[in-house]
Amino acid sequence: AQSVTQLDSHVSVSEGTPVLLRCNYSSSYSPSLFWYVQHPNKGLQLLLKYTSAATLVKGINGFEAEFKKSETSFHLTKPSAHMSDAAEYFCVVSDLVTGGFKTIFGAGTRLFVKA
Amino acid sequence: EPEVTQTPSHQVTQMGQEVILRCVPISNHLYFYWYRQILGQKVEFLVSFYNNEISEKSEIFDDQFSVERPDGSNFTLKIRSTKLEDSAMYFCASTLAGEQSETQYFGPGTRLLVL
């Protein structure tokens, strides 16, 4: 069965320090993996996605994620946090099922950035 | 940049009342989705819609729910007789194609409170 686990509900970093948001998944086939960000009162915005091409995926705003099949992980990183990065981040798996595909969200990780 | 819009942003209703949540997907998109997020819980898939038909629905999407594309731009979710447990944030999304790897574009959500 498909599932997504975001290992931290909250992460707090200082501005200028690295960000690591962790995501593990399980899937039946070859999944597509996404990271979305949600700022207050805004819709979920795509940061990046993995769709079976390069395992290191670069996204917007300096974020990147590495697909590691052996570890079933898709952790999101950024070398240097900015105050504007404070938001909720969702790891999402889209997996093939009979007749179509299924989209499953992680529980979300709230990122706090301290000045 | 085109975006998905949702109205209203907040809705308060009495238990047993009908509510209609509205979404305007991106204009050239063909696939539409509704998700909900109960406070403190994960985002859950409700239904997908293509070519004026429901293509997939979850166990949550029971007879109290219905979706419609009444004209060329709106996509609505109706809850016929609301229950307390329907209180949640409801997100609409759209995609150009119905592939597993497609990026879903989300609206900002409607927060529904059932009293």
Side-chain angles (χ1 to χ4, degrees):
Chain A
Q2 299 90 350
S3 68
V4 181
T5 303
Q6 290 184 243
L7 293 112
D8 306 293
S9 59
H10 299 85
V11 169
S12 182
V13 301
S14 297
E15 193 175 23
T17 64
V19 175
L20 170 63
L21 305 183
R22 297 180 293 167
C23 174
N24 285 95
Y25 70 92
S26 68
S27 72
S28 303
Y29 298 101
S30 182
S32 293
L33 295 153
F34 306 78
W35 275 98
Y36 284 87
V37 61
Q38 186 182 29
H39 292 275
N41 302 315
K42 299 281 189 183
L44 287 85
Q45 180 188 18
L46 180 73
L47 279 177
L48 49 81
K49 69 178 180 182
Y50 166 78
T51 58
S52 77
T55 56
L56 181 62
V57 182
K58 294 188 186 298
I60 62 171
N61 301 336
F63 284 95
E64 61 182 42
E66 187 171 5
F67 173 70
K68 291 187 176 179
K69 189 173 182 177
S70 60
E71 298 176 12
T72 60
S73 70
F74 191 56
H75 302 331
L76 181 70
T77 60
K78 182 172 179 176
S80 176
H82 191 271
M83 295 296 287
S84 60
D85 294 328
E88 182 103 23
Y89 291 80
F90 294 94
C91 182
V92 179
V93 170
S94 183
D95 205 6
L96 290 173
V97 295
T98 304
F101 65 90
K102 191 172 181 179
T103 300
I104 300 167
F105 278 72
T109 297
R110 184 162 293 280
L111 177 65
F112 297 93
V113 182
K114 299 174 287 187
Chain B
E1 185 178 325
E3 57 182 22
V4 177
T5 59
Q6 290 185 242
T7 55
S9 58
H10 295 78
Q11 173 119 25
V12 181
T13 190
Q14 295 290 324
M15 192 169 56
Q17 294 294 303
E18 174 184 286
V19 295
I20 297 176
L21 310 183
R22 290 184 169 79
C23 169
V24 179
I26 293 173
S27 62
N28 63 337
H29 284 189
L30 301 175
Y31 294 78
F32 314 112
Y33 312 83
W34 282 102
Y35 294 84
R36 78 170 186 191
Q37 185 181 28
I38 295 171
L39 190 64
Q41 298 185 23
K42 290 186 179 186
V43 176
E44 302 169 289
F45 168 76
L46 291 177
V47 66
S48 59
F49 190 85
Y50 168 70
N51 199 26
N52 281 320
E53 289 183 348
I54 290 174
S55 43
E56 198 167 346
K57 61 182 180 179
S58 70
E59 318 80 61
I60 304 167
F61 194 88
D62 60 23
D63 293 342
Q64 292 297 315
F65 292 90
S66 62
V67 288
E68 193 179 28
R69 188 151 161 84
D71 51 44
S73 59
N74 288 283
F75 177 52
T76 62
L77 174 69
K78 182 192 291 185
I79 310 175
R80 287 194 185 82
S81 178
T82 50
K83 307 183 191 70
L84 297 176
E85 54 266 35
D86 293 327
S87 295
M89 179 74 96
Y90 288 80
F91 294 104
C92 171
S94 69
T95 59
L96 182 59
E99 303 297 320
Q100 174 200 8
S101 59
E102 280 288 301
T103 298
Q104 295 190 37
Y105 291 83
F106 288 84
T110 294
R111 186 170 294 284
L112 175 66
L113 179 61
V114 182
L115 302 175

